[in-house]
Amino acid sequence: MQDEKQARKPTLSEVAALAGVSEITVSRALRGSPSVAGKTLHRVEQAAASLGYVRNRLAGALAGGPSNQVGVILPSLSNIVFPDVLKGLEIRLDQAGFHPVLGISNYDPQQEEQLIHNLLAWRPAGLVIAPSGMTDVSRSLLAGAGLPVVEIMDIDTDPVDMAVGMSHRGAGGDMARHLMAQGYRRFAYLGHDIERDRRACARLTGFREALSEAGLILDACVSLAEPSSVTLGRRGLKQLLAQSDQRPDVVYMSNDDMAVGGVFHCMAQGIRLPQDLALAGFNGLELGQTLPVPLTTTATHRTRIGEIAADCILERLAGREPARSTDVGFTLIAGGTA
Amino acid sequence: MQDEKQARKPTLSEVAALAGVSEITVSRALRGSPSVAGKTLHRVEQAAASLGYVRNRLAGALAGGPSNQVGVILPSLSNIVFPDVLKGLEIRLDQAGFHPVLGISNYDPQQEEQLIHNLLAWRPAGLVIAPSGMTDVSRSLLAGAGLPVVEIMDIDTDPVDMAVGMSHRGAGGDMARHLMAQGYRRFAYLGHDIERDRRACARLTGFREALSEAGLILDACVSLAEPSSVTLGRRGLKQLLAQSDQRPDVVYMSNDDMAVGGVFHCMAQGIRLPQDLALAGFNGLELGQTLPVPLTTTATHRTRIGEIAADCILERLAGREPARSTDVGFTLIAGGTA
DNA sequence: CTGAAAGCGCTAACAT
DNA sequence: ATGTTAGCGCTTTCAG
């Protein structure tokens, strides 16, 4: 080891000098090129270690070498959903020696555009984005970036490059059909700040469409202008029930966090599930499935979305051509709350 | 806008040519230097926009400009705890125009060491790490990196540079004293793969110490070799109760996820909380506080840790000297389960 | 307020 | 298997 405070980090040429070879040989050796003699390799590694050499990938990438950074833009980290996706991304990227560079858009198209610009400035190897209403500028930045781009979560819209996700509209429709099949007829919806969450919006649209096809309607539809949470679901359901003169048969909640809040409200009020009131959520979080009565919901494959998105980037970088759109599907869980 | 597929991105000199000024003037203009005439600035911005210019920060950073990347190493993303910390980091970093570059160590010191090396290769402006048993090499890499480093979560050990967190040992001790004050005498502990989670370990240590000081002991101590989860807590409590010939008064669970699982087990079995059995967790997750009976636990200030860690990095970069160690504390929540 | 020169540390391309 | 040459695109000096 060397001094604790080395102001200037050692460079390739210093390693080269110590090892008695040229810079390029050190470069090749340290990058694991097969065309370096075992003996040379060893000597270079020794020299690098003894100097505490740490490769400068800024210089490498600028000189035309590959980057191992992948830009990742997500709308939020508050709910476990996006960390789950990020986990899948990270696992696969890490295996390939890549790192996610993160940006959070807060569901704001302007922030999103800014982030795309900022992340592109680092010339990443690829970009993964859970879109929040991309602007034309955003789209054109991505189209012109000349790198693999994966839009995740949703496959209801046409992607700039690639897409991995599921149909939220389809999920909403399927849940509506499932609930109708259970015999429910009076439907209500309780959502969080749905203006900003286009995917929650798409589910509601699909839900409505399916009801409509069966000649039914949504009796009540409440959206609260706050991010989703268990607390909000609990409070929201209380409010929804208070303001309905006739209690609905079933409430479709914008996601599991909200739905679990609803379940807790019912528990506290002695409202029996599903006899007195039925509830359905979305996401299939562990939380909802571990309740004494498992939540009726739609399980999504979040980590899988992340993994596949990473694979798309890596495949493309390897010169192959991944599917333009990948549907990871979803699974309706007929739990005990509806 | 320009062609969808621009193979080579425009460079500073192209913008300069179009604007009729020198490269350096464009550089200054685009970085918002005050010493650029308003008229020139405008012309440069026009030129940049019309070419779809995206700054290359690789080149900028290599040439000695500042980096706006901050390496972030976390042990896991599976539990909401670290995403919460990451959220706090991201908020503050984003405000300052910085981005986190992420690495997940999986609680493995070797992976951690590798990550530190990889992230340092990008010459980030700073590094934030939730340590997982740092090796000597890790420590020496950080010490010699010549950049601000913040170790987060824990302040029980001496940091290489700066630390932001709380005393987990203290939290365990406080909970033990709280439970003893409630009159409980037969204590049990239920943990997840605690070998890997040094902070959970520290809490248990503090818990034991406090019992010991009062002349009490831990009657049962079960650790399951799996990551913590609601499911594991539910299953684990069942197992723990089955194998105890005399039921404990109270079970200290390694965290809230585990504890909520325990609560669900009790609900399902008709075990009354806290009369028949008391439970306590750790973290103060929303989940536990929204249960019909709020969980007794220790609230941690996770997002705050992230925010302060980011501030430490930014302060140091601004030339100021932040506190070497920041204790964000914790708050014991005397809920209804103990 | 603007510019010219020099070089950050590395790697691709072309030798040998 | 190793070396030489020539930048990558920007920003830091240092000059006006």
Side-chain angles (χ1 to χ4, degrees):
Chain A
M1 291 302 116
Q2 54 294 308
D3 293 341
E4 293 292 299
K5 286 284 168 195
Q6 35 180 173
R8 234 191 73 265
K9 311 222 66 160
T11 67
L12 256 200
S13 81
E14 293 169 47
V15 178
L18 185 59
V21 293
S22 70
E23 291 185 30
I24 187 66
T25 299
V26 176
S27 175
R28 287 199 262 251
L30 263 26
R31 279 179 297 153
S33 160
S35 65
V36 171
K39 232 175 93 176
T40 313
L41 175 58
H42 191 70
R43 207 139 33 87
V44 169
E45 280 171 343
Q46 290 275 298
S50 85
L51 289 174
Y53 174 73
V54 176
R55 200 174 151 194
N56 185 337
R57 291 188 121 272
L58 251 30
L62 180 62
S67 168
N68 69 350
Q69 296 194 147
V70 172
V72 174
I73 299 176
L74 302 174
S76 154
L77 285 175
S78 299
N79 182 295
I80 191 68
V81 168
F82 289 108
D84 277 349
V85 174
L86 185 55
K87 181 170 67 167
L89 278 167
E90 205 283 334
I91 289 171
R92 283 290 211 281
L93 292 179
D94 183 74
Q95 284 167 354
F98 285 62
H99 296 289
V101 185
L102 195 62
I104 303 299
S105 66
N106 292 305
Y107 292 99
D108 177 349
Q110 290 307 318
Q111 272 189 261
E112 181 174 71
E113 182 181 311
Q114 182 72 53
L115 281 173
I116 292 173
H117 207 267
N118 285 175
L119 293 183
L120 250 25
W122 284 101
R123 300 297 188 266
L127 198 70
V128 175
I129 177 169
S132 300
M134 284 206 273
T135 64
D136 287 344
V137 174
S138 293
R139 228 175 289 277
S140 123
L141 275 169
L142 294 179
L147 47 75
V149 176
V150 185
E151 287 165 59
I152 56 170
M153 304 319 283
D154 204 331
I155 55 164
D156 288 337
T157 55
D158 194 47
V160 169
D161 184 5
M162 294 177 279
V164 176
M166 45 158 293
S167 169
H168 284 254
R169 206 160 140 208
D174 275 18
M175 182 55 84
R177 282 181 286 275
H178 173 73
L179 295 175
M180 288 188 284
Q182 306 296 299
Y184 299 115
R185 286 298 173 269
R186 294 185 54 82
F187 296 87
Y189 174 86
L190 176 60
H192 57 280
D193 55 351
I194 208 143
E195 297 304 310
R196 314 188 74 191
D197 188 337
R198 307 171 78 91
R199 288 173 283 271
C201 230
R203 296 195 289 277
L204 175 54
T205 301
F207 192 83
R208 278 201 147 109
E209 284 170 354
L211 290 187
S212 168
E213 278 168 21
L216 294 172
I217 57 151
L218 205 52
D219 289 321
C221 181
V222 173
S223 288
L224 304 162
E226 290 176 45
S228 74
S229 67
V230 177
T231 313
L232 186 66
R234 188 170 179 170
R235 179 151 44 86
L237 183 61
K238 182 178 177 184
Q239 178 185 325
L240 186 149
L241 294 179
Q243 73 185 45
S244 319
D245 18 76
Q246 198 182 341
R247 180 183 282 178
D249 295 343
V250 55
V251 183
Y252 185 38
M253 315 275 283
S254 51
N255 65 28
D256 279 5
D257 299 77
M258 299 289 287
V260 168
V263 170
F264 288 164
H265 173 72
C266 292
M267 281 183 176
Q269 294 297 307
I271 299 172
R272 293 168 309 163
L273 291 164
Q275 301 95 317
D276 300 337
L277 180 71
L279 294 179
F282 177 84
N283 267 332
L285 301 190
E286 191 212 2
L287 166 59
Q289 296 312 300
T290 323
L291 289 172
V293 176
L295 188 64
T296 296
T297 187
T298 305
T300 56
H301 309 173
R302 302 175 293 281
T303 302
R304 187 112 193 81
I305 289 177
E307 289 172 348
I308 296 179
D311 288 344
C312 285
I313 300 281
L314 296 169
E315 285 284 296
R316 175 71 70 69
L317 292 176
R320 287 183 288 274
E321 195 50 51
R324 178 167 172 76
S325 182
T326 306
D327 185 356
V328 302
F330 51 81
T331 312
L332 201 146
I333 300 180
T337 62
Chain B
M1 293 301 117
Q2 54 297 304
D3 294 341
E4 293 291 300
K5 285 285 170 195
Q6 36 181 170
R8 235 191 72 265
K9 313 222 67 163
T11 67
L12 255 200
S13 82
E14 295 169 46
V15 178
L18 184 58
V21 292
S22 70
E23 291 186 28
I24 185 62
T25 298
V26 176
S27 175
R28 287 200 262 250
L30 263 26
R31 279 179 297 153
S33 161
S35 65
V36 171
K39 235 175 92 176
T40 313
L41 175 59
H42 191 70
R43 207 139 33 88
V44 169
E45 280 172 343
Q46 290 274 296
S50 84
L51 289 174
Y53 174 74
V54 177
R55 196 172 154 197
N56 185 337
R57 292 185 117 291
L58 251 27
L62 179 61
S67 169
N68 69 350
Q69 297 194 147
V70 172
V72 175
I73 298 176
L74 302 174
S76 156
L77 285 175
S78 298
N79 183 294
I80 191 68
V81 168
F82 290 107
D84 277 349
V85 174
L86 185 55
K87 181 170 67 168
L89 278 167
E90 206 282 334
I91 289 170
R92 283 289 210 280
L93 291 179
D94 184 74
Q95 284 167 354
F98 285 62
H99 297 288
V101 185
L102 194 63
I104 302 299
S105 66
N106 293 305
Y107 292 98
D108 177 349
Q110 290 308 317
Q111 273 188 260
E112 181 174 72
E113 182 181 312
Q114 181 72 53
L115 280 172
I116 292 171
H117 208 267
N118 287 174
L119 292 183
L120 250 25
W122 285 101
R123 300 298 189 266
L127 198 68
V128 175
I129 177 168
S132 300
M134 284 207 273
T135 64
D136 287 344
V137 174
S138 294
R139 228 175 289 278
S140 123
L141 275 169
L142 294 178
L147 48 75
V149 175
V150 185
E151 288 166 59
I152 56 170
M153 306 317 285
D154 205 332
I155 54 164
D156 288 336
T157 55
D158 194 46
V160 169
D161 185 5
M162 294 176 279
V164 177
M166 45 160 290
S167 170
H168 285 255
R169 206 159 139 208
D174 275 17
M175 182 55 84
R177 281 180 286 275
H178 173 74
L179 295 174
M180 289 187 285
Q182 305 297 300
Y184 300 114
R185 286 298 173 269
R186 296 184 53 82
F187 296 86
Y189 174 86
L190 176 60
H192 57 280
D193 55 352
I194 208 143
E195 297 306 309
R196 314 188 74 192
D197 188 337
R198 307 171 80 90
R199 287 172 283 270
C201 230
R203 296 194 290 276
L204 175 55
T205 300
F207 193 82
R208 278 201 147 109
E209 285 170 353
L211 291 187
S212 169
E213 277 168 22
L216 294 171
I217 58 152
L218 205 53
D219 289 323
C221 182
V222 173
S223 287
L224 304 161
E226 291 176 48
S228 74
S229 67
V230 177
T231 313
L232 185 67
R234 188 170 179 169
R235 179 152 44 86
L237 183 61
K238 183 178 176 183
Q239 178 184 324
L240 186 149
L241 294 179
Q243 72 186 43
S244 319
D245 19 76
Q246 197 183 342
R247 182 182 280 178
D249 294 342
V250 55
V251 184
Y252 185 38
M253 316 276 283
S254 50
N255 65 28
D256 278 4
D257 300 78
M258 298 289 286
V260 168
V263 170
F264 287 163
H265 173 72
C266 292
M267 280 184 177
Q269 295 296 306
I271 299 172
R272 292 168 309 165
L273 291 163
Q275 300 94 317
D276 301 337
L277 180 70
L279 294 179
F282 177 83
N283 266 332
L285 301 190
E286 192 212 2
L287 167 59
Q289 295 313 300
T290 323
L291 289 173
V293 176
L295 188 65
T296 296
T297 187
T298 306
T300 57
H301 310 200
R302 301 175 293 282
T303 301
R304 187 110 192 85
I305 288 178
E307 289 171 348
I308 295 178
D311 288 344
C312 286
I313 300 280
L314 296 169
E315 284 286 296
R316 175 71 68 71
L317 292 176
R320 287 182 289 274
E321 196 50 53
R324 177 168 172 77
S325 182
T326 307
D327 185 355
V328 303
F330 50 81
T331 312
L332 202 146
I333 300 181
T337 63

